[in-house]
RNA sequence: GCGGAAGUGGCGGAACUGGCAGACGCGCAGGACUUAGGAUCCUGUGGCUGAGAGGCCGUGGGGGUUCAAAUCCCUCCUUCCGCACCA
């Protein structure tokens, strides 16, 4: 008897697939696209493209195993599946490795790509390798440059000064990931500074509203948390902009943004961000300036890091000036506060301490009055809190212990008193507008996307700077702007391209005079914002992607990747597609029809990563157990969206199952092959045959359901294990089961396993007498008459407790079930002398007697 | 604080629209075959209790709805993830 030899089997079938070009995906000819009716049309399955670094470990592998299972299943379902793979090849690690090892980032990257690729081949993933792309190739990144120019032309790319991390020792800009605890990664003793330099931005905020609104359509097809995270990130909030005149300042005013204009009669102060442009002029020459100048400077220098900001104590000072509340006419002191952000809203707020926690904290600290203007709606009489609330009258600043931030009913609000918050929001916004001191406004947290990187290993930004014409875009026909082959990479001093004269020095496209190239490169997220379109015509030299190909293949039907990219990558890609639609290149603006975020593979409680030293190499796995075992283990360990903790023992279990399945096919292949005909009439079946076929078709029904709806491959695999166990238990089969039945059972088992363990399934298929290979095979439909239960187990309960189990004919009438249940000895004895209040019958399931 | 997800045996996890909780696998225990086995096969395996048939308890805690709750409702607790002074 032959043993299961995965190495041999896997090599054999991988060679066969390659020979047969089994995974090449092509568009049908134009006319076939409309007439084709037997098949189900295209299906684009995509796993997030990897950054080739370190070793390809089982965490990566799990991702691809899930994608490959889906791709293979869809092929079996008759879809024209496109399943491409490529490399996110630009990036900082390549540049760092190059500096460290005195090599070129390209060499390091290509070496890693070759390694990754060989591992993916070893696992037999069904990619169309003709479509492979690498983002560091000029044929690819020239289109990044082309998109940039398109955006520049439309005002969607612009330059402005912005903060970067700066290490004074390296004299260079640091990426966020190179800043560790506020210090340089290379110089632990050196505190990172911030510097303002000119940088390029993509105006993603122009699409903020569409980006947030279109999320509604992704409900149910994208994971909830990803949608929630994107909503949160975009941070849409509706409110109003209100202008407060500055007292004694001849027409000068301060604008604030508020979502709670209904609380405006409770405003106790205006608070400005330290960076607010009016701060200096308001205080010029005043007593307040002398007193608070130092504090102001300190606030302006304070760290902008989120953790620091969130934990910093509220701090501020009075500017000595006042503003007029346009609704009440009241004079409000103008303060400067460290918790007011210049970047959000208008950089100024109205402080309503009674109804906002932050304002409450600030005003309590500085003894600013806390007037109550909203009371809970349920209060019929003024609440104790409201009654004692107005500190302007009582002079008591301690009477209120916390802010009441909910909507409610207005009090002490002039003509608006008595309205609900909802009513007041609408009415007061409208009044502010008609009276000319405010208007409805929607703000977003989302900021524009800074794409400049002071790095070598990225896409050069295609503009030049000319002394006479200033910034000049590189004409499209001069693309690509190619990276110089031999940069000086030191990681110190100015950015690498700036130190490469043959790159920097150029001529102005307008006047031909000497000019300097832009020396920043693009954020690598630009590369990954449209790569899924490049796969569709990867070698196109005339355009980024062929329109016809996009019309056919786009959007991605199923995108699969890690939750780590829930915000940035997925948001940028959505943004890009909207721009591409507006340029006229796409008809559809949402790139990913369905998104699946798979769980991580942990070892020792943390995600596998080279730096933590807890990786299990995919190649090692394949060499020791085989690719199919590796795949089966990662699919079986948990549902694909959950994290799994690496367990070598469970890998052994997966290997054991495959050996068992292989041996099963081996034992019966001769009989199966001897079968003639396929007609399996229910009436002609012997008891044992009927039982086996029933189990098989029931398994098929449930496995199909798992594949189709929830992707719970773990339960699908468990179901096939049950089937295998049942076949085992029925052995020996030779005398009691006809070859036709054996063949049917084993074929269906093979087909069910095929998407998950493709090599072994091919081998099994061949052992069962098929020469065509599984690529031509279709996912089978279960036969209802074979899956049907003839006898079912029905439970007899008394007051919800199981008292007997009966095996009865399926579909028995309710009265008959009650009669049979009552006939059960245990039921009969317990019911004796008791009054049955009620009998509940669930057909084919249970009978429950309620007794007193 | 806000938002999202999740709490089921020793472990990973099953249980479709409320209907026998613990499928399947790992681990463990016992056995068979074997020179041997970390190969293979068989049996057992939630807890307590009982000689046994069986009984009682049991899906994070508490309460509720129901003939019936892991599943629905209320409430509390815990864990993980994301955002975090966003006006």
């Amino acid at each position: 008897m032959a043993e299961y030899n995965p190495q041999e089997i896997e090599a054999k079938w991988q060679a066969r697939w390659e020979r047969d070009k089994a995974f090449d995906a092509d568009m049908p000819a134009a006319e076939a696209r409309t007439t084709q009716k037997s098949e189900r049309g295209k299906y684009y399955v995509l796993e997030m493209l990897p950054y080739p670094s370190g070793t390809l470990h089982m965490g990566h592998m799990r991702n691809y195993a899930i994608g490959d299972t889906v791709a293979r299943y869809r092929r079996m379902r008759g879809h024209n599946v496109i399943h491409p793979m490529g490399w996110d090849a630009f990036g900082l690690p390549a540049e760092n490795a190059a500096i460290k090892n005195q090599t070129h980032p390209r060499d390091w990257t290509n070496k890693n790509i070759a390694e990754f690729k060989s591992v993916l081949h070893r696992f037999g993933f069904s990619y169309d390798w003709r479509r492979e792309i690498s983002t560091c190739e000029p044929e690819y990144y020239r289109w990044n440059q082309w998109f940039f120019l398109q955006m520049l032309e439309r005002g969607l790319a612009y330059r402005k000064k912005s903060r970067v991390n700066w290490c004074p020792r390296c004299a260079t800009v640091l990426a966020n990931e190179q800043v560790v605890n506020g210090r340089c990664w290379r110089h632990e003793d050196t505190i990172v500074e911030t510097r303002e330099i000119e940088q390029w931005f993509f105006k993603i905020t122009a699409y903020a509203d569409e980006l947030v609104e279109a999320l509604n359509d992704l409900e149910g097809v994208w994971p909830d948390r990803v949608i929630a995270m994107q909503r949160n990130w975009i941070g849409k909030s509706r409110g109003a902009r209100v202008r407060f005149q500055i007292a004694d300042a001849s027409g000068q005013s301060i604008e604030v943004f508020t979502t709670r204009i209904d609380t405006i009669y409770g405003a106790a102060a205006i608070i400005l961000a330290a960076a607010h442009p009016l701060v200096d002029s308001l205080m010029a020459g005043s007593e307040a300036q002398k007193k608070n100048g130092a504090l102001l400077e300190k606030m302006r220098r304070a760290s902008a890091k989120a953790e620091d900001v969130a934990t910093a104590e509220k701090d501020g000072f009075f500017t000595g000036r006042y503003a007029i509340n346009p609704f009440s006419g009241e004079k409000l002191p103008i303060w400067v506060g460290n918790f007011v952000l210049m970047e959000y809203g208008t950089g100024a707020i109205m402080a309503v301490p009674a109804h906002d926690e932050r304002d409450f904290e600030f005003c309590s600290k500085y003894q600013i009055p806390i007037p109550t203007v909203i009371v809970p709606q349920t209060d019929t009489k003024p609440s104790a809190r409201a009654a004692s609330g107005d500190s302007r009258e009582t002079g008591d600043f301690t009477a209120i212990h916390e802010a009441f931030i909910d909507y409610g009913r207005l009090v002490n609000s002039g003509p608006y008193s008595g309205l609900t918050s909802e009513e007041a929001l609408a009415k007061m916004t409208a009044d502010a507008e008609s009276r000319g001191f405010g208007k409805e406004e929607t703000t977003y947290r989302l900021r524009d996307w800074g794409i400049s990187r002071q790095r070598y290993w990225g896409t050069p930004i295609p503009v030049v700077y000319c002394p006479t014409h200033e910034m000049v875009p590189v004409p499209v026909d001069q693309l690509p702007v190619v990276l110089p082959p031999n940069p000086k990479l030191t990681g110190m001093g100015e950015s690498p391209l700036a130190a490469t004269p043959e790159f920097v020095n150029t001529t102005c496209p307008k006047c031909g005079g000497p000019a300097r190239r832009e020396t920043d490169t693009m954020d690598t997220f630009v590369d990954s914002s449209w790569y899924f379109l490049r796969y569709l015509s990867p070698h196109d030299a005339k355009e980024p992607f062929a329109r016809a190909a996009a019309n056919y293949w786009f959007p991605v039907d199923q995108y699969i990747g890690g939750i780590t990219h829930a915000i940035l990558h997925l948001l940028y890609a959505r943004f890009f597609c909207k721009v591409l639609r507006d340029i006229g290149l796409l008809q559809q603006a949402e790139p990913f029809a369905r998104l699946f975020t798979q769980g991580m593979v942990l070892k020792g409680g943390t995600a596998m990563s080279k730096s933590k030293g807890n990786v299990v190499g995919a190649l090692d796995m394949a060499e020791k157990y085989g690719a199919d075992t590796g795949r089966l283990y990662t699919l079986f360990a948990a549902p694909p969206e959950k994290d799994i903790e690496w367990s070598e023992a469970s890998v052994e279990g997966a290997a054991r199952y495959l050996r068992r399945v292989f041996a099963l096919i081996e034992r019966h292949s001769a009989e199966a092959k001897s079968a003639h005909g396929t007609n399996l009439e229910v009436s002609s079946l012997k008891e044992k045959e009927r039982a086996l076929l029933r189990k098989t078709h029931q398994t098929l029904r449930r496995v199909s359901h798992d594949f189709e709806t929830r992707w719970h491959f773990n339960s699908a695999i468990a179901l096939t294990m049950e089937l295998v166990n049942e076949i085992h238990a029925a052995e020996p089969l030779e005398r009691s089961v006809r070859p036709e039945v054996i063949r049917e059972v084993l074929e269906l088992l093979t087909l069910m396993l095929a998407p998950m363990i493709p090599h072994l399934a091919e081998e099994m298929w061949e052992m069962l007498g098929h020469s065509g290979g599984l690529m031509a095979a279709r996912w089978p439909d279960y036969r209802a008459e074979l899956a049907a239960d003839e006898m079912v187990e029905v439970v007899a309960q008394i007051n919800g407790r199981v008292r007997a189990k009966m095996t009865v004919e399926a579909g028995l009438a309710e009265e008959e079930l009650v009669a049979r249940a009552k006939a059960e000895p245990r039921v009969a004895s317990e019911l004796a002398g008791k009054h049955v209040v009620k009998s509940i019958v669930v057909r084919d399931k249970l009978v429950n007697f309620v007794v007193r």
Side-chain angles (χ1 to χ4, degrees), chain A residues 582-654:
Chain A
D582 291 347
I583 292 176
L585 294 180
L586 284 180
Q587 297 177 334
Q588 239 259 223
E590 280 298 329
F592 312 120
R594 297 180 71 90
L595 172 68
F596 188 89
T597 49
Q598 92 282 358
M600 292 182 295
V601 178
L602 313 178
K603 198 175 173 215
T606 45
M608 284 189 184
S609 81
K610 198 185 176 188
S611 57
K612 294 212 185 72
N614 63 344
V615 296
V616 175
L619 194 58
D620 297 344
M621 186 72 198
E623 278 166 1
K624 187 163 177 198
Y625 295 97
D628 282 336
T629 295
R631 287 170 170 242
L632 185 76
Y633 164 68
T634 54
L635 294 174
F636 183 57
E641 68 273 13
K642 285 195 68 171
D643 288 352
I644 58 179
E645 173 69 32
W646 185 259
S647 156
E648 194 79 12
S650 296
V651 176
E652 298 276 359

Side-chain angles (χ1 to χ4, degrees), chain A residues 69-94:
Chain A
T69 299
V70 172
R72 287 172 181 271
Y73 174 71
R74 287 292 151 196
R75 282 193 198 94
M76 290 180 81
R77 280 292 194 183
H79 285 102
N80 185 19
V81 169
I82 186 171
H83 188 211
M85 177 49 70
W87 314 104
D88 186 17
F90 271 141
L92 195 55

Side-chain angles (χ1 to χ4, degrees), chain A residues 384-411:
Chain A
R385 180 157 53 194
S388 66
D390 198 330
S391 58
R392 277 174 297 196
E393 287 157 22
T394 61
D396 177 3
F397 297 101
T398 60
I400 303 180
H401 298 289
E402 59 174 353
F404 174 72
I405 60 172
D406 296 339
Y407 281 2
R409 192 170 291 281
L410 275 66
V411 296

Side-chain angles (χ1 to χ4, degrees), chain A residues 456-719:
Chain A
Y456 168 75
W457 196 230
T459 305
I461 294 174
V463 300
V464 304
Y465 301 99
C466 165
T468 36
H469 297 99
E470 301 187 330
M471 193 277 290
V472 181
V474 173
V476 167
D477 58 16
Q478 290 177 25
L479 297 183
V481 175
V482 182
L483 284 171
N486 298 307
K488 293 192 200 77
L489 297 178
T490 59
M492 312 281 275
E494 54 186 336
S495 84
L497 289 180
T500 311
E502 63 273 26
F503 177 82
V504 180
N505 298 320
T506 185
T507 52
C508 170
K510 275 193 183 159
C511 63
R516 286 177 59 86
R517 284 193 189 280
E518 167 68 64
T519 56
D520 284 354
T521 53
M522 294 183 203
D523 181 3
T524 55
F525 276 116
V526 174
D527 309 337
S528 54
S529 289
W530 68 282
Y531 74 102
F532 43 88
L533 288 160
R534 186 65 182 170
Y535 283 139
L536 306 181
S537 55
H539 309 297
D540 212 311
K542 294 204 181 67
E543 43 188 357
F545 54 90
R547 228 81 77 81
N551 288 346
Y552 177 72
W553 293 113
F554 191 75
V556 174
D557 292 279
Q558 183 66 63
Y559 199 28
I560 303 168
I563 186 70
T564 29
H565 296 108
I567 300 176
L568 297 182
H569 162 58
L570 289 170
L571 194 64
Y572 294 151
R574 295 180 61 222
F575 160 62
F576 246 70
C577 287
K578 291 176 197 335
V579 174
L580 296 185
R581 175 205 54 203
D582 291 347
I583 292 176
L585 294 180
L586 284 180
Q587 297 177 334
Q588 239 259 223
E590 280 298 329
F592 312 120
R594 297 180 71 90
L595 172 68
F596 188 89
T597 49
Q598 92 282 358
M600 292 182 295
V601 178
L602 313 178
K603 198 175 173 215
T606 45
M608 284 189 184
S609 81
K610 198 185 176 188
S611 57
K612 294 212 185 72
N614 63 344
V615 296
V616 175
L619 194 58
D620 297 344
M621 186 72 198
E623 278 166 1
K624 187 163 177 198
Y625 295 97
D628 282 336
T629 295
R631 287 170 170 242
L632 185 76
Y633 164 68
T634 54
L635 294 174
F636 183 57
E641 68 273 13
K642 285 195 68 171
D643 288 352
I644 58 179
E645 173 69 32
W646 185 259
S647 156
E648 194 79 12
S650 296
V651 176
E652 298 276 359
R656 194 171 306 152
Y657 177 57
L658 293 188
R659 279 195 294 270
R660 215 165 126 90
V661 172
F662 179 86
L664 178 72
I665 302 292
E666 259 243 326
R667 270 202 301 284
H668 300 293
S669 62
E671 296 157 78
K673 276 195 277 194
S674 75
H676 305 287
T678 49
N679 189 16
L680 298 169
E681 285 301 322
V682 180
S683 56
S684 73
L685 296 171
K686 288 177 278 185
E687 185 48 44
K688 200 163 175 181
E689 295 178 332
R690 179 73 190 88
L692 271 179
L693 286 170
R694 183 186 300 118
K695 182 70 180 179
T696 305
H697 282 266
Q698 287 179 346
T699 303
L700 177 56
R701 181 177 62 201
R702 295 176 62 189
V703 168
S704 300
H705 184 258
D706 274 335
F707 267 82
E708 203 56 48
T709 58
R710 306 182 305 163
W711 290 15
H712 278 197
F713 306 122
N714 58 330
S715 3
I717 293 165
L719 287 163

Side-chain angles (χ1 to χ4, degrees), chain A residues 830-851:
Chain A
E830 285 202 34
L831 287 183
K834 295 205 175 113
H835 175 57
V836 176
V837 183
K838 202 172 175 185
S839 310
I840 286 117
V841 183
V842 180
R843 204 176 268 194
D844 291 347
K845 285 249 167 71
L846 64 78
V847 179
N848 186 19
F849 298 106
V850 186
V851 304

